[in-house]
């Protein structure tokens, strides 16, 4: 029984989705943990919003608040939509429509005029990539579901009146779920013979694979903010690279084919139900039984640098540049106790993100925000699959903040994501140019995000 | 006011900026239209062994490339292996074709049960032609439990999916249908008229197939072939030939070994022009019988033939040639009449359906008649590895050679051009 088809998506899903969670800025990496920041397209490394979300956007920003306590609870609803259009047929398969809630919680305390501590609990990923189980790409994946919770204690210090430093220590708890089908035509029926050569059509489901994995890892980030002038601030943040040890389980369910082997086949007497021939793989000493899996995943480091300009006292214009070292995600090795080991070539590219936002205090109570951002793609042309069909993105945001009272502010935001229509594949492929040649259609992806947060300070 | 306008413009900018025009969208790469036109973007074939590419009792990639379906696809501007797929058999075939049917030798030395299996999995299969397929089996492979080979080859060709189901999945824009030969052939070659498919059930199968085509929205263009008059194939020799080879007739001299006095041919095998009322014109001897008679007489043994009762005696012992592919058989005049009548009735049903559904009707019998001079009236036993059955029929006397397949393909192309106002080129 050929194993590569089973291992391939398992390896990629568990690792990819997890890795993107760490990157926080691609796939459905949620950068929008605060209605205020979201409204201005996630800018703020130089001037984070108040309320505690600086824990996420720049740890240095938690010190210097005029109130002793700051906190924030928020929820972002992500509604991704997408599809795949086949070159050959022109038919489009729509990804299953999901709406993903991503909650956040931040709290900070000013210990003194120069020191502050905080704690953030946030979920940079509420990712679901889901397709109908009849989708032609189901043999790579038809469901990938990632949940990642970050707990980040943070400390910051004001070294000078205009210079702040912060450090956050991250504990990451993540879980990943993947489902895929296995194509019988690609499996070995007898030495030198595949089932496809017995006439089993391409795309004959015979097994449903369910992979679940989880990881606990630790990391951190450092940040700094320099208020060069009363109108100009510079900020920077660096996220340390990590290595995540992902442990999981794969379970397999036989899918009936209903095929009866004809005379002249080399593997069983004529009239033998094919399902009975493959059934032993799902029990006893077979390879398609529940088993453990393990992957060591390199998670990229990233660097964000930004600028905040205040041309007017009630207007802040922000610009952030983000670099993510996706080059680390070149080769992925996954090991299963029965299926063995598989090396998957991802060959990802570093990404660059450019964010521009503004925050306008229109009235004493009302702030209006907006922004735009552009991100390059991490996946090379040969690695665009149903698991994570990502591409370069252009996004726009709108938001508002309303001071409900002197201590409470409501922030609302809307974000629209337009992703590049990207050529990709729905089947396994070799590395490099051959993988590009396997691209057989066009992935499309858009998303609407709605964010709301309540920030308090007292 | 100016501040407000500026602010509104700035507020609007992000939404405008999120327009998809600002990302570098990659293109869809749809398949280019074939040179024959949009009508033929997805061409699928439903058919029998002729569509599949059987020759000389076997099938391999070489014979599959000779099939009229393959040639039509090329004429349509499709590229086999790129945008048109057939279930290529690897190695010597499944089984390999005869190289000498008198000695049962096959390509590569394989047996009749050898199967080299499929060369590779294809994304889909456009040519669903299945050997031995009867019309009802196009809808359900198991509908007629007659030939296990149908089920075997169906597995290799369509994965045991019925041809109609396999074709429907392609959402074809054009379909050729060539059914009916096996609904009459086995009666002709086995001498059993109970094997003739009733006209009513054949019509019902065709109607169900037609309804399936029509369910495809705008519906594909369809060209449907007539049922060939299977009594004209060189696998069957008229009884009059053996009479004349025994006794001599105008234009057919007595010829050894048939002229041996050991060959007792009933006068009822004479041509009607020689002996009025005789049945030699309407009695047929199948190739295994002809070969057996030849072998028996060549060895100096005795043989008999009666063209009314169908009784025949030959020596089947060691050293005597009786090709095993088909039974030893004589098609009596009564059986011949029944077969011809059924072919006529089935073709009437096909033509009626084609007219009602605006399909092209391809008269294969007209094509055969136009080339009748190339169909030998008797096997050439001196050239058993080449022109045993002439140049248009392969070494089983049933399935066309590459030259014969060209005639069929041209018949299809000509009628498709006339019916659908397209200009498929001549088949080379």
């Amino acid at each position: 029984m050929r194993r590569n088809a089973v291992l391939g998506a398992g390896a990629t899903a568990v690792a990819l989705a997890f890795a993107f969670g760490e990157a926080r800025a691609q796939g459905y990496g949620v950068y929008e943990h605060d209605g205020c920041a979201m409204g201005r397209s996630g800018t703020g490394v130089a001037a984070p919003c108040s309320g505690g979300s600086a824990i996420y956007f720049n740890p240095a920003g938690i010190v210097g608040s005029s109130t002793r306590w700051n906190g924030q609870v928020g929820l972002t609803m992500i509604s991704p939509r997408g599809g795949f259009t086949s070159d050959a047929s022109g038919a489009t398969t729509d990804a299953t429509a999901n709406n993903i809630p991503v909650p956040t919680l931040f709290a900070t305390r000013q210990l003194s005029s120069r020191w502050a501590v905080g704690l953030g609990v946030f979920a940079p990923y509420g990712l679901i990539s889901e397709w109908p189980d009849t989708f032609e790409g189901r043999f790579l994946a038809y469901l990938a579901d990632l949940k990642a919770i970050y707990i980040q204690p943070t400390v910051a210090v004001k070294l000078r009146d205009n210079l702040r430093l912060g450090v956050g220590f991250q504990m990451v708890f993540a879980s990943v779920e993947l489902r895929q089908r296995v194509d019988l035509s690609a499996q070995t029926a007898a030495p030198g013979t595949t089932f496809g050569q017995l006439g089993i059509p391409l795309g004959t489901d015979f097994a449903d694979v369910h992979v679940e994995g989880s990881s606990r890892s630790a990391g951190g980030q450092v940040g700094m903010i320099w208020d060069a002038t009363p109108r100009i601030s510079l900020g920077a943040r660096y996220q340390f690279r990590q290595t995540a040890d992902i442990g999981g389980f794969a379970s397999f369910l036989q899918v009936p084919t209903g095929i009866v082997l004809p005379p002249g086949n080399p593997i069983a007497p004529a009239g033998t139900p094919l399902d009975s021939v493959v059934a032993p793989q799902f029990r006893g000493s077979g390879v398609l039984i529940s088993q453990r899996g393990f992957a060591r995943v390199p998670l990229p480091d990233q660097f964000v640098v930004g600028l905040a300009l205040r041309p007017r006292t009630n207007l802040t214009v922000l610009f952030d540049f983000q670099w993510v070292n996706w080059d680390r995600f070149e080769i992925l090795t996954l090991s299963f106790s029965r299926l063995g080991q598989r090396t998957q070539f991802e060959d990802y590219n570093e990404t660059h993100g450019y964010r521009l936002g503004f925050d306008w205090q229109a009235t004493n109570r009302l702030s209006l925000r907006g922004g735009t951002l552009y991100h390059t793609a991490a996946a090379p042309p040969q690695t665009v699959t149903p698991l994570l069909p990502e591409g370069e993105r252009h996004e726009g945001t709108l938001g508002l903040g309303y001071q409900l009272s002197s201590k409470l502010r409501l922030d609302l935001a809307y974000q629209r994501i337009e992703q590049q229509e990207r050529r990709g594949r729905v089947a396994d492929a070799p590395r490099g140019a051959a993988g590009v040649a396997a691209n057989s259609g066009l992935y499309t992806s858009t998303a609407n995000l709605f964010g709301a947060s309540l920030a308090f300070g007292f | 006011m100016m501040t407000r306008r500026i602010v509104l413009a700035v507020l609007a900018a992000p939404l405008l900026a999120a327009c998809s025009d600002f990302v570098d969208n990659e293109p869809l790469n749809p398949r280019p239209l074939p040179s024959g036109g949009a009508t033929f973007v997805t061409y699928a074939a439903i058919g029998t062994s002729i569509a599949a590419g059987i020759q000389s009792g076997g099938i391999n990639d070489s014979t599959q490339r000779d099939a009229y379906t393959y040639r039509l696809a090329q004429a349509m501007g499709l590229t086999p292996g790129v945008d048109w797929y057939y279930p290529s058999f690897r190695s010597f075939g499944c089984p390999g074709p005869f190289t000498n049917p008198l000695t049962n030798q096959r390509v590569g030395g394989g047996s009749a049960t050898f199967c080299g299996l499929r060369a590779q999995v294809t994304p889909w299969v456009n040519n669903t032609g299945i050997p031995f397929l009867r019309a009802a089996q196009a809808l359900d492979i198991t509908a007629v439990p007659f030939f296990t080979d149908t089920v075997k080859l169906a597995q290799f060709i369509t994965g045991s999916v019925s041809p109609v189901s396999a074709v429907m999945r392609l959402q074809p824009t054009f379909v050729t249908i060539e059914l009916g030969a096996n609904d009459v052939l086995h009666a002709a070659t086995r001498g059993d008229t109970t094997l003739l498919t009733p006209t009513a059930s054949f019509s019902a199968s065709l109607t169900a197939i037609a309804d399936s085509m029509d369910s495809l929205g705008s519906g594909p263009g369809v060209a449907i072939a007539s049922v060939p008059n299977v009594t004209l194939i060189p696998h069957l020799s008229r009884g009059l030939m053996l009479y004349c080879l025994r006794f001599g007739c105008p234009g057919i001299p007595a010829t050894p070994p048939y002229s041996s006095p050991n060959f007792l041919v009933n006068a009822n095998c004479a041509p009607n022009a020689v002996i009025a009322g005789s049945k030699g014109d309407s009695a047929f001897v199948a190739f295994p019988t002809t070969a057996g008679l030849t072998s028996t007489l060549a060895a100096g043994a005795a043989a008999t033939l009666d063209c009314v009762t169908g009784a025949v005696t030959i020596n089947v012992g060691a050293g005597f040639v009786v090709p095993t592919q088909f039974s030893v058989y004589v098609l009596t005049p009564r059986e011949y009449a029944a077969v011809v009548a059924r072919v006529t009735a089935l073709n009437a049903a096909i033509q009626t359906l084609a007219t009602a559904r605006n399909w092209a009707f391809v008269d294969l019998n007209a094509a055969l008649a136009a080339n009748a001079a190339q169909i030998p009236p008797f096997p050439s036993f001196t050239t058993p590895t080449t022109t045993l059955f002439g140049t248009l029929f392969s070494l089983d006397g049933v399935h066309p050679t590459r030259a014969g397949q060209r005639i069929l393909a041209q018949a299809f192309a000509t009628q498709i051009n006339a019916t659908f106002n397209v200009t498929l080129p001549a088949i080379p």
Side-chain angles (χ1 to χ4, degrees):
Chain A
M1 180 71 62
R2 184 184 294 181
R3 302 171 181 183
N4 285 349
V6 178
L7 282 180
T12 307
V14 171
L16 250 191
F18 196 83
F20 276 116
E22 278 297 316
R24 298 191 283 171
Q26 266 297 63
Y28 285 107
V30 181
Y31 208 68
E32 297 75 22
H33 296 286
D34 169 11
C36 167
M38 181 175 163
R40 54 189 201 184
S41 83
T43 53
V45 72
C49 293
S50 63
S53 65
I55 288 174
Y56 180 88
F57 290 96
N58 190 338
I62 68 171
V63 68
S65 170
S66 59
T67 53
R68 178 173 292 184
W69 286 97
N70 289 280
Q72 181 179 308
V73 293
L75 183 72
T76 302
M77 184 67 73
I78 305 173
S79 298
R81 299 290 182 266
F84 177 81
T85 301
S86 166
D87 285 339
S89 66
T92 297
T93 302
D94 292 326
T96 303
N98 285 292
N99 299 303
I100 310 153
V102 182
T104 56
L105 173 66
F106 300 103
T108 65
R109 187 181 190 279
Q110 303 300 304
L111 299 179
S112 70
S113 62
R114 292 195 175 275
W115 288 91
V117 294
L119 182 70
V121 181
F122 46 93
Y125 264 81
L127 166 68
I128 293 180
S129 176
E130 187 174 6
W131 302 83
D133 62 10
T134 54
F135 175 45
E136 58 187 301
R138 63 190 183 278
F139 302 108
L140 292 180
Y142 66 88
L143 171 69
D145 187 351
L146 167 69
K147 298 177 179 63
I149 297 175
Y150 285 58
I151 299 176
Q152 181 181 316
T154 304
V155 60
V157 61
K158 185 183 284 188
L159 293 178
R160 297 201 196 103
D161 287 346
N162 63 345
L163 181 62
R164 291 171 280 172
L165 293 178
V167 177
F169 304 93
Q170 293 172 335
M171 293 171 285
V172 184
F173 303 87
S175 65
V176 177
E177 180 183 10
L178 160 79
R179 300 195 82 106
Q180 67 164 136
R181 291 294 178 91
V182 188
D183 185 356
L184 183 60
S185 72
Q187 309 305 318
T188 300
T193 302
T194 64
F195 281 100
Q197 290 172 309
L198 301 184
I200 303 301
L202 189 72
T204 298
D205 303 47
F206 88 105
D208 189 277
V209 183
H210 187 197
V211 177
E212 291 181 293
S214 63
S215 170
R216 296 180 187 178
S217 61
Q221 56 174 341
V222 295
M224 63 78 77
I225 297 174
W226 175 42
D227 298 311
T229 76
R231 292 179 180 272
I232 300 173
S233 298
L234 293 169
R237 170 174 67 83
Y238 178 75
Q239 169 92 19
F240 294 97
R241 61 181 60 178
Q242 297 180 40
T243 298
D245 291 328
I246 303 172
F249 262 101
S251 59
F252 304 84
L253 183 67
Q254 186 172 4
V255 177
T257 65
I259 294 172
V260 176
L261 291 169
N265 79 84
I267 61 173
T272 303
L274 181 57
D275 294 334
S276 67
V277 173
V278 300
Q281 297 298 329
F282 294 88
R283 58 178 184 261
S285 60
V287 294
L288 300 181
I289 61 172
S290 292
Q291 57 196 274
R292 289 185 177 276
F294 174 81
R296 176 154 287 171
V297 182
L299 304 178
D301 45 335
Q302 58 175 293
F303 178 70
V304 184
V305 62
L307 181 68
L309 302 174
R310 302 176 191 81
R312 299 162 70 98
T313 56
N314 63 344
L315 178 64
T316 305
V317 179
L318 307 105
F319 175 75
D320 284 4
F321 169 76
Q322 180 179 27
W323 169 85
V324 183
N325 189 17
W326 279 114
D327 275 348
R328 290 196 73 217
F329 197 53
E330 185 177 355
I331 295 174
L332 177 67
T333 301
L334 189 76
S335 302
F336 279 107
S337 54
R338 287 291 187 111
L339 287 168
Q341 186 169 288
R342 155 102 176 178
T343 298
Q344 185 98 351
F345 298 102
E346 303 297 336
D347 294 326
Y348 268 51
N349 304 311
E350 65 179 44
T351 61
H352 304 146
Y354 307 85
R355 300 172 183 266
L356 175 65
F358 74 90
D359 194 329
W360 176 46
Q361 187 81 39
T363 72
N364 285 342
R365 286 182 177 268
L366 179 67
S367 295
L368 299 176
R369 307 180 182 109
T372 184
L373 73 100
Y374 169 76
H375 232 284
T376 61
Q382 65 270 25
T383 320
V384 181
T385 71
L387 207 57
L388 191 60
E390 67 103 43
E392 65 182 50
R393 289 182 179 171
H394 202 174
E395 305 174 31
T397 66
L398 283 176
L400 65 87
Y402 191 79
Q403 204 71 35
L404 297 172
S405 72
S406 61
K407 299 177 182 178
L408 193 64
R409 185 183 78 242
L410 174 68
D411 295 300
L412 301 174
Y414 167 74
Q415 182 170 345
R416 171 74 180 179
I417 297 177
E418 290 285 342
Q419 180 171 294
Q420 171 197 31
E421 294 176 357
R422 193 99 192 265
R423 291 194 56 74
R425 56 183 167 86
V426 292
D428 214 356
R431 189 179 192 181
V436 179
N439 287 343
S440 59
L442 205 61
Y443 284 100
T444 59
S445 181
T446 61
N448 294 296
L449 287 75
F450 304 88
S453 56
L454 273 176
F456 59 89
F458 59 88
Chain B
M1 176 63 72
M2 180 61 69
T3 302
R4 181 174 298 176
R5 287 177 181 171
I6 292 171
V7 168
L8 287 174
V10 173
L11 282 174
L15 288 180
L16 294 173
C19 175
S20 60
D21 289 344
F22 287 84
V23 290
D24 188 15
N25 290 325
E26 295 180 349
L28 191 66
N29 284 344
R31 283 190 287 149
L33 289 180
S35 57
T39 301
F40 307 112
V41 164
T42 305
Y43 160 48
I46 298 171
T48 66
S49 52
I50 302 173
I54 289 270
Q55 281 186 44
S56 304
I59 184 170
N60 58 25
D61 185 75
S62 178
T63 65
Q64 289 174 288
R65 289 168 179 259
D66 288 341
Y68 74 85
T69 45
Y70 187 100
R71 319 277 276 283
L72 262 182
Q74 290 181 310
M76 292 170 180
L78 298 166
T79 306
V82 175
D83 53 13
W84 190 85
Y85 293 95
Y86 64 102
S88 172
F89 285 97
R90 68 175 186 179
S91 184
F92 306 124
C94 189
F98 282 121
T99 53
N100 188 336
L102 301 184
T103 59
N104 290 311
Q105 285 180 310
R106 294 179 180 269
V107 170
S111 68
T113 57
F114 172 82
C115 186
L117 307 181
R118 285 275 301 272
Q120 60 187 7
V121 171
T122 56
W124 56 83
V125 174
N126 294 84
N127 184 4
T128 70
I130 296 175
F132 308 110
L133 192 79
R134 292 191 170 213
Q137 291 173 303
L139 295 155
D140 177 0
I141 288 293
T142 62
V144 181
F146 183 63
F147 268 128
T148 58
D149 276 352
T150 306
V151 177
K152 164 185 172 181
L153 289 166
Q155 172 57 49
F156 288 125
I157 291 170
T158 64
S160 291
V161 174
S162 76
V164 170
S165 294
V167 164
M168 294 288 286
R169 291 177 186 180
L170 300 179
Q171 300 276 306
T173 57
F174 198 87
V175 179
T176 58
I177 300 175
E178 171 255 311
L179 293 171
N182 294 311
D183 294 88
V184 295
L185 178 65
H186 304 308
T189 59
R190 292 176 177 251
D192 184 353
T193 55
T194 64
L195 296 177
L196 290 169
T197 297
T199 304
S201 65
F202 182 84
S203 294
S205 297
L206 280 192
T207 300
I209 294 170
D211 290 344
S212 295
M213 298 297 111
D214 287 346
S215 73
L216 290 171
S218 59
V222 179
I224 185 167
S226 63
V227 177
N229 183 350
V230 293
T231 63
L232 299 179
I233 59 176
H235 180 88
L236 299 171
S237 301
R238 292 182 189 269
L240 67 87
M241 287 302 302
L242 286 156
Y243 179 90
C244 291
L245 290 170
R246 170 67 176 89
F247 298 108
C249 301
I252 305 174
T255 306
Y258 312 99
S259 55
S260 165
N262 292 331
F263 188 20
L264 302 179
V265 183
N266 195 300
N268 61 25
C269 292
N272 189 57
V274 173
I275 300 178
S278 59
K279 302 297 181 183
D281 302 84
S282 55
F284 292 80
V285 182
F287 173 65
T289 309
T290 309
L293 283 168
T294 305
S295 173
T296 300
L297 296 170
T304 67
L305 175 65
D306 186 309
C307 290
V308 172
T309 66
V312 60
T313 58
I314 57 176
N315 198 323
V316 297
F320 289 87
V321 173
V322 181
T324 57
Q325 190 182 21
F326 296 97
S327 302
V328 173
Y329 169 68
V330 173
L331 184 68
T332 68
R334 181 187 62 80
E335 293 163 344
Y336 164 74
V339 171
V340 171
R342 189 57 49 87
V343 169
T344 302
L346 297 186
N347 281 332
I350 292 173
Q351 193 154 20
T352 299
L353 182 76
T355 301
R357 305 278 179 144
N358 297 315
W359 291 359
F361 175 72
V362 183
D363 188 349
L364 295 183
N365 290 311
L368 281 174
N371 293 277
Q374 298 185 64
I375 303 174
F378 197 77
S380 170
F381 287 100
T382 57
T383 56
T385 62
T386 54
T387 54
L388 178 63
F389 297 105
T391 57
L392 299 184
F393 283 86
S394 64
L395 298 181
D396 56 22
V398 175
H399 299 97
T401 59
R402 178 175 175 81
Q405 288 277 12
R406 191 201 71 79
I407 292 172
L408 302 182
Q410 188 60 61
F412 268 97
T414 300
Q415 197 57 47
I416 290 170
N417 286 344
T419 304
F420 297 100
N421 196 29
V422 294
T423 52
L424 297 180
I427 308 296

